[in-house]
């Protein structure tokens, strides 16, 4: 079983939930930008959350399914189209063999996830299937996807052909993931204080949680540069590098903020003024350049509670979806 | 470029001598702070100092945590004087059902590990790295010599004299942050990064480093090594570990070219 890249997109890569345990070599976790959308996409097709998916940016690849396949598309809405018919996101779809999926235009978001029942079965590198672009390793040959790439897919135990309605190129199964809460009101992003937060001057501390910050176009899988008021430290402070995480908000020497994202370096030497809630990173990474956001300060316990709730929901969703699939057409 | 094979590691003795009284150095108790770095990581910090002893403590804590990981432990980033520990809150929540927050549970585990690391593990590998200090490879060498009012030969000698400690690996896979450079060689980094070739040896402040990839870099480039610092297919992919030692020796252009060619016959140094 495989799916083929019929026409490549601008930056589409194979990703999973990340590569942990190798930071002593400077190898960062990487993985999907939006862990929530990827986990939902996997749940909808009966995969564990850890399965590898294709992360697509717009303009996204055209994908040819060479055999009948159970898929889902979650995250950004790039108006997916199968056989000239728009198809829904956040819903399991059975796609007939030799059918092409393409994406028409951006409605919202930055990254969308194509999950395929069985998972993208590329060879793991250091226990993960995530593409490490810098190291040219992991994922599909360590690079973004090009024309004619054949992505191996794990085997399916479902009789998918019988799930298709006669003569149709695809069938949307009659259930959907509720996702709205996650991406609603992404203009307010919750933060916890970073270790150098208290080194900001009074004005800057105030601005951090009241001013508008715009996502700039100088943003990518490594980090999002934000445009906003120039923030300052009370006193100059020379830092030694420390470990950083996805969501760490660093203050650059010019007074602007950068939010570190999936492909961030393992260590950083700029003041850490805050950390975006992990549960809100999906909303943050899906914000498009030009979009403005505001930060809201919370305590770390709130961040943890929200994340645990989100993970519980995802686990429940995963169980329910698998059950639905197992009982479908029985 | 040649694939560098690290010398075999000596066995580690007494690494896990639990409950050893080794929380002070030279009679001084070590002060640490533990603080959250978001809700998936906790930072254990011995104070912002570039000090081999503190760094050694961080390495010992890292070893303790990776040999006996707590539930939900994912990774730990070794830096100069801090260790940032990544964990999976949901996994811990489900498996350990902590009465308080997961963060507090992890903090306790981290302190437990800190209290029970054995005597400092002193095993370290010494890597001898050849560097061609030809001005063509070391694009900033001649300018630095002018700025510092010394000869290029002096600079080369200063740089290749010390045995450096690898304090951490970061920035890119395989980029070693090493210190300390002799005081006479300490220059502030460039204000703007420029394109740098893989294998380039750079200096900045008290540090020296090697770029494993072609990339932008803000350090002053004084030479290039034919040694390959990152090989995704290698086991290990990176020949160094934080805490290892490195010394540089000067090689000629001919030797550089020869070592570079030897890659094709798969030989190591």
């Amino acid at each position: 079983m495989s799916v083929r890249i019929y026409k490549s997109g601008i930056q589409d890569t194979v990703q999973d939930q990340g590569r942990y345990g190798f930071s002593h070599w400077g190898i960062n976790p990487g993985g999907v930008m939006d862990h929530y959308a990827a986990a939902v996409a996997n749940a909808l097709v009966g995969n564990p959350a850890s399965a590898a998916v294709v992360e697509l940016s717009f303009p996204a690849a055209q994908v040819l399914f060479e055999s009948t396949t159970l898929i889902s598309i979650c995250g950004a809405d790039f108006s997916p189209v199968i056989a000239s018919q728009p198809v829904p996101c956040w819903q399991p779809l059975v796609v007939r063999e030799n059918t092409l999926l393409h994406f028409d235009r951006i409605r919202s978001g930055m990254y969308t996830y194509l999950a395929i029942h069985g998972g993208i079965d590329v060879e793991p590198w250091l226990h993960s299937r995530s593409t490490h672009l810098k190291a040219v390793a992991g994922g599909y040959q360590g690079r973004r996807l090009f024309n004619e790439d054949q992505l191996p897919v794990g085997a399916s135990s479902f009789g998918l052909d019988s799930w298709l309605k006669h003569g149709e190129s695809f069938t949307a199964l009659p259930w959907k993931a509720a996702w709205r809460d996650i991406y609603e009101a992404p203009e307010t992003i919750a933060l916890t204080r970073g270790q150098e937060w208290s080194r900001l001057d009074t004005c800057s501390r105030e601005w951090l949680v009241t001013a508008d910050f715009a996502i700039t176009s100088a943003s990518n899988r490594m980090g999002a540069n934000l445009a906003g008021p120039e923030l300052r430290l009370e006193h100059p402070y020379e830092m030694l590098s420390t470990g950083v995480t996805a969501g760490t908000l660093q203050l650059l020497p010019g007074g602007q903020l950068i939010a570190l994202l999936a492909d961030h370096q393992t260590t950083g030497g700029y003041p850490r003024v805050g950390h975006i809630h992990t549960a809100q990173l999906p909303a943050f990474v899906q914000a498009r350049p030009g979009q403005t956001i505001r930060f809201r300060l919370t305590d770390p316990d709130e961040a943890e509670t929200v994340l645990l709730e989100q993970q519980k929901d995802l686990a429940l969703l995963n169980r329910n979806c698998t059950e639905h699939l197992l009982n479908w057409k029985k | 470029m040649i694939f560098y094979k690290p010398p075999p590691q000596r066995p580690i003795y007494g690494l896990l001598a639990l409950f050893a009284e080794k929380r002070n150095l030279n009679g001084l108790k070590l002060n640490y702070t533990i603080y959250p770095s978001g809700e998936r990581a906790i930072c254990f910090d011995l104070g912002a100092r570039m000090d081999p002893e503190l760094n050694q403590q961080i390495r010992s804590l890292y070893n303790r945590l990776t040999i006996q990981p707590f539930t939900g432990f994912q990774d730990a980033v070794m830096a100069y004087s801090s260790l940032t520990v990544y964990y999976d809150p949901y996994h811990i929540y489900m498996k350990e059902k902590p009465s308080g927050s997961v963060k507090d549970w992890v903090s306790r585990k981290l302190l437990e590990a800190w209290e029970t690391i054995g005597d400092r593990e002193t095993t370290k590998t010494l890597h001898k790295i050849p560097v061609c200090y030809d001005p063509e490879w070391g694009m900033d060498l001649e300018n630095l010599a002018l700025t510092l009012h010394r000869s290029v030969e002096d600079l080369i000698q200063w740089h290749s004299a010390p045995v450096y400690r690898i304090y951490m690996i970061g920035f890119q896979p395989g980029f070693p942050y090493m210190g300390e450079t002799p005081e006479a060689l300490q220059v502030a980094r460039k204000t703007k990064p420029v394109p740098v070739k893989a294998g380039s040896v750079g200096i900045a402040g008290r540090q020296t480093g090697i770029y494993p990839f072609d990339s932008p870099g803000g350090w002053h480039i004084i030479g290039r090594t034919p040694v390959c610092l990152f090989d995704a297919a290698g086991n290990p992919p990176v020949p160094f570990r934080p805490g290892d030692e490195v010394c540089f020796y000067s090689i000629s252009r001919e030797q550089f070219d020869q070592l570079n060619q030897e890659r094709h016959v798969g030989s190591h140094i």
Side-chain angles (χ1 to χ4, degrees):
Chain A
M1 280 249 310
S2 69
V3 295
R4 187 145 64 91
I5 301 301
Y6 188 75
K7 185 167 181 283
S8 59
I10 187 162
Q11 173 143 311
D12 304 326
T13 52
V14 174
Q15 300 290 347
D16 62 14
Q17 297 284 334
R19 177 178 288 111
Y20 290 91
F22 304 98
S23 67
H24 57 288
W25 287 325
I27 296 169
N28 58 321
V32 290
M33 290 286 276
D34 177 346
H35 66 92
Y36 181 83
V40 173
N42 271 325
L44 287 169
V45 297
N47 289 344
S50 57
V53 295
V54 184
E55 180 179 275
L56 301 135
S57 303
F58 200 85
Q62 296 185 18
V63 182
L64 182 70
F65 301 97
E66 296 185 317
S67 46
T68 302
T69 311
L70 173 62
I71 68 162
S72 71
I73 302 156
C74 298
D77 187 348
F78 294 160
S79 320
V81 174
I82 291 176
S84 23
Q85 284 179 71
V87 294
C89 299
W90 306 93
Q91 193 164 350
L93 308 163
V94 185
V95 185
R96 194 178 293 281
E97 60 184 328
N98 292 321
T99 304
L100 198 61
L101 162 72
H102 77 270
F103 295 87
D104 211 22
R105 63 190 175 84
I106 301 172
R107 277 214 182 90
S108 67
M110 289 291 286
Y111 302 95
T112 204
Y113 295 88
L114 171 65
I116 297 171
H117 173 61
I120 308 293
D121 196 19
V122 291
E123 195 63 39
W125 176 63
L126 302 178
H127 313 324
S128 164
R129 293 184 169 84
S130 287
T131 310
H132 198 303
L133 292 170
K134 185 92 217 170
V136 196
Y140 189 87
Q141 298 180 8
R143 58 165 172 79
R144 71 183 178 91
L145 300 173
F146 292 134
N147 292 354
E148 297 305 318
D149 284 348
Q150 295 262 2
L151 298 176
V153 175
S156 168
S157 52
F158 299 131
L160 291 175
D161 285 305
S162 66
W163 292 12
L164 276 166
K165 290 189 189 116
H166 182 72
E168 284 186 351
S169 305
F170 71 93
T171 301
L173 301 184
W175 58 88
K176 209 171 158 77
W179 54 275
R180 194 158 280 279
D181 293 352
I182 286 289
Y183 301 100
E184 214 160 59
E187 61 269 19
T188 321
I189 299 287
L191 275 187
T192 55
R193 287 178 181 85
Q195 187 62 7
E196 282 74 50
W197 177 84
S198 56
R199 291 184 182 273
L200 288 170
D201 64 22
T202 322
C203 243
S204 299
R205 266 180 272 170
E206 184 67 23
W207 278 337
L208 180 61
V209 290
T210 51
D212 283 339
F213 291 91
I215 313 271
T216 71
S217 54
S219 302
N220 53 33
R221 279 187 47 90
M222 295 203 294
N225 283 286
L226 303 180
E230 195 181 310
L231 305 185
R232 274 186 232 102
L233 297 178
E234 187 86 58
H235 306 288
Y237 178 58
E238 191 64 28
M239 271 189 60
L240 266 188
S241 289
T242 58
V244 288
T245 58
T248 298
L249 212 53
Q250 288 185 324
L251 181 65
L252 298 176
Q256 298 302 317
L257 294 172
I258 182 170
L260 302 181
L261 301 175
D263 279 349
H264 65 84
Q265 300 172 195
T266 52
T267 56
Y270 295 125
R272 301 153 290 177
V273 299
H275 302 278
I276 295 171
H277 281 205
T278 304
Q280 282 218 301
L281 268 180
F284 181 81
V285 301
Q286 295 291 6
R288 297 199 57 84
Q291 194 168 330
T292 58
I293 49 159
R294 270 191 196 174
F295 293 115
R296 171 175 75 83
L297 211 54
T298 76
D299 63 53
D301 287 341
E302 185 186 326
E304 185 180 303
T305 309
V306 177
L307 178 62
L308 290 177
E309 288 305 318
Q310 192 183 76
Q311 298 287 326
K312 277 186 238 174
D313 285 351
L314 284 172
L316 184 65
L317 179 79
N318 199 295
R319 275 200 300 280
N320 286 345
C321 285
T322 305
E323 209 168 287
H324 270 64
L325 289 170
L326 289 172
N327 293 326
W328 185 241
K329 295 277 173 181
K330 265 213 172 133
Chain B
M1 204 178 274
I2 44 172
F3 290 106
Y4 171 74
K5 198 175 171 194
Q9 280 213 331
R10 280 174 285 147
I12 299 169
Y13 297 109
L15 178 63
L16 282 176
L18 297 181
F19 309 111
E21 279 291 317
K22 189 55 201 181
R23 297 286 58 79
N24 49 64
L25 282 168
N26 310 325
L28 288 170
K29 194 156 171 56
L30 283 179
N31 289 321
Y32 58 80
T33 46
I34 290 188
Y35 52 86
S37 187
E39 72 288 69
R40 286 181 303 158
I42 286 184
C43 187
F44 180 91
D45 201 330
L46 288 173
R49 271 198 296 143
M50 189 175 174
D51 178 328
E53 287 294 346
L54 295 189
N55 188 248
Q56 188 61 36
Q57 296 284 336
I58 292 300
R59 184 180 167 178
S60 299
L61 180 60
Y62 173 87
N63 286 340
R64 165 69 176 75
L65 283 168
T66 46
I67 292 168
Q68 293 180 288
F70 57 79
T71 308
F73 172 89
Q74 286 182 312
D75 204 349
V77 186
M78 281 184 269
Y80 284 100
S81 54
S82 69
L83 189 73
T84 303
V85 178
Y86 294 172
Y87 59 92
D88 180 345
Y90 183 65
H91 187 76
I92 296 168
Y93 174 80
M94 294 302 283
K95 285 270 172 348
E96 299 288 338
K97 306 246 181 282
S99 53
S101 68
V102 170
K103 165 177 67 74
D104 292 345
W105 185 89
V106 175
S107 301
R108 280 199 301 279
K109 289 285 154 191
L110 202 50
L111 275 184
E112 239 173 79
W114 173 244
E115 297 299 334
T116 57
I117 56 175
D119 207 349
R120 289 181 311 119
E121 179 230 323
T122 48
T123 308
K124 52 199 163 199
T125 310
L126 176 67
H127 307 269
K128 293 174 181 152
I129 302 297
V131 179
C132 175
Y133 293 98
D134 188 296
E136 195 192 327
W137 294 150
M139 58 178 169
D140 299 317
L141 197 55
E142 284 172 337
N143 264 336
L144 278 178
L146 283 174
T147 316
L148 299 172
H149 304 293
R150 295 301 287 256
S151 68
V152 165
E153 287 68 34
D154 282 347
L155 265 56
I156 294 170
Q157 219 217 323
W158 286 338
H159 184 256
S160 53
V163 174
Y164 295 102
R165 179 185 179 86
I166 298 180
Y167 280 93
M168 60 180 214
I169 296 177
F171 172 50
Q172 291 172 346
F175 185 103
Y177 286 80
M178 298 172 279
E180 296 189 10
T181 48
E183 215 175 322
L185 201 58
Q186 294 175 7
V187 280
R189 70 183 62 191
K190 297 176 187 173
T191 47
K192 250 199 159 127
V194 297
V196 165
K197 286 285 180 198
S200 291
V201 177
I203 54 171
R206 294 187 282 163
Q207 309 163 100
T208 181
I210 310 169
Y211 287 85
F213 300 94
D214 291 356
S215 74
W219 293 20
H220 299 273
I221 305 304
I222 58 172
R224 195 181 295 177
T225 177
V227 162
C228 172
L229 291 199
F230 182 84
D231 171 19
N235 184 24
V238 173
F240 309 147
R241 291 175 74 91
D244 283 355
E245 290 180 332
V246 168
C247 60
F248 296 108
Y249 63 95
S250 176
I251 56 168
S252 66
R253 258 316 267 272
E254 290 71 36
Q255 286 169 304
F256 181 94
D257 291 338
Q258 196 192 340
L259 285 169
N260 224 5
Q261 272 177 8
E262 278 173 20
R263 177 197 181 172
H264 303 297
V265 292
S267 77
H268 303 290
I269 45 165

